[in-house]
Amino acid sequence: MMLDPAILSLTFPYRRLLHYWAKASLMSHPVARYILSSAGNIPVDRKSKDRRKLFQGTFDALSQGQAVALFPEGTSYTEPRIMQVKDGAAWAALEYTKWTTEHGNSGDPVEIIPVSIVYTNKSKYRSCVVVEYGKPITMDEYKAEFLSPDEGAPRTAVKRLTAQIERQLTETTINAPDWDTLYAARMARDLLWPEENINLDEFVVISQTLVDLFCTPDLVPNFASIKRHLLTYYSLLQSTHLTNDVLTSLPLPPTLDPHRPISLPSRLATLSVLIRDSLSCLIRLPFFLIPLAVHFPSYLLARFGARLVEDEEETQAQNKVVFGLLFLFLMYPATFFFVWAFLRYTPIGAFVAAAFVFLFAMYHNKLVNDNYEHAKRLAATWRVLVGVWAPKKWDLSLNALAQYTSPQLPPENPWIDRSRSKSRSSTPGSSPNLNGSTLSTVSPPSKSRKKHRPPSRRLIRHVLRARIEAVKSLASLFDQLGRQPDKRVRASSHLVRLFGGELDSDKLSPTDGVGGTVAVIDEPIGWRSAKEVLSFLIQRGAKIGGLERRVEGDWAAVSSDGEGEGIEIESDALKEGLTWVPPAHDQS
């Protein structure tokens, strides 16, 4: 992976050089060895059984006051939670502490700084990134045990230190017990913050609060129905490559409803807004045509690179960067020499050519930033309009739609030790059994397989229906919680310590590792009151009150050849004793 080290190096304080661990086999080629060594990478021979030899490069860097960076999970993966934290960082830090003690080194003691990198949408190029540096972990608490001559003591100290690293990483990332819970929380977050105006400083805390909320067993009577409606909407957005943010911003007033007796001038006036926005994009096109044409092969290559790894969400953005840059590294020098040749290879011509290439790149980036989102929304508007004006027979049948109503899950990463991850501490939404392992309260998802993407016009009405049902379901959830302010909802223990609540300390129990050593100390199960959680979300900009308003464009979800007077939450919600009254329609 390339993006994670780049982001870590860019954000590391004081612009200090980070020395990354690299597999020794990568150093076998002279060119690769020169590039990696000059960048400060440290070769690590993972086959070596001598830890002193294994960490010698690390010892040399630390003894000179340098910083060493590594990724303790051992691989990149897409999972709903942290699956594994390996012991390499703990062994290196404690072995270095032992080495300095034996050699009388009086330099600065080593510290471990856990760092979390959270992408708001890691498959999307140029999405936002949240980087948080944790509290420094010193070796004072573990040194004596690691240096102890008792059998198994060093390994126990390493396991305890690894557990502390994992605890900090878990507290600064988003962790859910399963994909359904994570996707439902994401969809709820998108509906509560429809314009993506969530404060990035609190992105992780807000997201984890919603994950914890959907981990609460028996939260409300129709909780299963609410969760299913959110997942259906999330899945249909995946299938159509639309986002809730785009749908929320679409101008879809009732005057566009082809089944309403709207006067022709009013309908044309509304259509004129869309036509005006379309023409405004076309007017800008000539100013953008040349830079777009020059960079278009780069866009195609980036898209091709992403399609090569459609099943690896964590690799898509990286491939877009790599494949796009490969072309730009060829295109920009070629442009420079073309302009320089036109200026007869004069010294001042070289300066002018370099300035031209730089300004040309800046001009392209400025136009992309100004026009991309606008063009994407406009294209989505016409797609939706074509979908709702198309004949009803074009819509997918309910039987054909079923395959698109459950989210597509990424494949399992073969490099994850799942037997090891299963013995980890309980996550909110899992309950410990008598043996200390965890039992998920949600059935495991079925293996995902790639779905054929149908034309969006056949799904648009289904997407808009799902959107209204998801909004109503989420409004129902918060309405019921508002009527039960004393109800307890599940919470991660670190959020309880931050915002108040209760911890079931009697649930605190160690998980035994190999040979009886303590691998991980389970966190106690936490609870927050529903009133406090609702207040927490509202104070941070959640549009909970806005969920009760009529969704703009709801006519598009129900105006299909004389179909219905409204949308009802499906029958299982009625079986649970809750009834939705359809919104009144204007008959004028």
Side-chain angles (χ1 to χ4, degrees), residues 40 52 56 74 83 113 119 188 221 241 264 268 327 380 386 397 438 461 491 506 509 521 541:
R52 291 290 178 90
Q56 188 56 54
M83 297 295 292
I113 314 293
Y119 299 89
H241 290 189
L264 183 60
L268 291 178
F327 175 79
V386 169
S397 66
T438 61
R461 265 191 284 254
D506 58 325
S509 60
I521 298 296

Side-chain angles (χ1 to χ4, degrees), residues 69 83 101 135 147 175 194 215 219 236 269 282 301-302 312 454 480 562:
M83 297 295 292
T101 302
K135 298 178 181 178
L147 298 178
N175 294 272
C215 286
L219 183 61
L236 289 175
L282 293 176
L301 280 175
E312 300 177 20
Q480 293 176 76

Side-chain angles (χ1 to χ4, degrees), residues 347-362:
I348 193 169
F351 175 79
V352 172
F356 173 81
V357 171
F358 175 78
L359 293 176
F360 184 75
M362 293 298 102

